[in-house]
Every structure is written in structure tokens, then in C-alpha cells.
Amino acid sequence: MHIHHDHMAGHGCDHHHDHECDHHHDHEHEHDCGSCGACTHTPMEELVALMKYMVGHNAAHARELADLAHQLEHAGSHVAYEQVMAAVSDFEKGNMRLSAVLASLDVK
């Protein structure tokens, strides 16, 4: 799997992610720092912005996996459904930990 970030999240850029599942995600952000010249983010603010992006990205993948699990169930593979849903639960638990870290950092 290869993930490519041309720029940190939160800076008006598109992120294309080529996953093994052969799809990509386009993410639009609020503004382009290069255009206004007024952005002065600290390294911590940059890290928090990236973590916020990753939490959202992980949540999107958890939803995709849950959809896949339901398709497996409808295709007649209940065991596969249960295993994928267990993986979804793990994804969600990890994302809850990341969200707790974000809340503890309290960077606006």
C-alpha cells in the first residue's frame, strides 16, 4: 500500500491515495495558504491537522469495510461477515484512541 501526501492536511490541497483496493479519495480543504500568505501554523498545529484528517479518513474506511461485510453476508458468507465486522470494531477502537489524543492536545 502506498499513501502519498503532497502537502499537510488543512492547506487547500487534494490528496490522492492509491490503495491496494485501487481507488482514491479527493479531499478539499478550507483554504490555500500559498494564496493568502498569512498562515503561520506551528508544527503542533500541523500535526493536529494531519491527525484530524487521519481520524476522518479512518472513519471513512471503517464505513467502507462495514459495507463490504454486509455484502459478504448477503452473498452467503456469514463467517467472513463476522470477521470483517470485528476488523471494523478494531478500526473504530483505534480511531477512538486517536480522537482522545486530539482532545488532550487541545490545539485550536
Side-chain angles (χ1 to χ4, degrees):
M1 172 174 17
H2 173 73
I3 299 176
H4 177 70
H5 292 277
D6 290 329
H7 200 66
M8 297 290 282
H11 282 98
C13 52
D14 289 333
H15 297 275
H16 297 283
H17 306 275
D18 297 321
H19 300 274
E20 291 173 1
C21 56
D22 198 29
H23 72 272
H24 72 277
H25 301 273
D26 293 325
H27 301 280
E28 296 292 329
H29 300 288
E30 296 175 14
H31 66 280
D32 181 0
C33 287
S35 65
C36 67
C39 296
T40 56
H41 298 290
T42 67
M44 183 58 77
E45 289 170 331
E46 294 286 335
L47 292 170
V48 168
L50 182 57
M51 284 185 67
K52 285 180 181 178
Y53 164 78
M54 292 302 296
V55 166
H57 188 81
N58 290 345
H61 280 291
R63 287 189 301 273
E64 290 172 343
L65 285 170
D67 288 344
L68 177 98
H70 290 291
Q71 291 175 31
L72 288 165
E73 173 99 272
H74 288 128
S77 184
H78 185 72
V79 172
Y81 163 82
E82 288 179 334
Q83 290 299 308
V84 174
M85 288 307 293
V88 169
S89 177
D90 291 342
F91 246 86
E92 291 171 342
K93 287 175 191 171
N95 232 19
M96 286 175 37
R97 287 181 187 259
L98 292 175
S99 294
V101 169
L102 280 169
S104 74
L105 292 173
D106 195 36
V107 176
K108 307 287 185 235

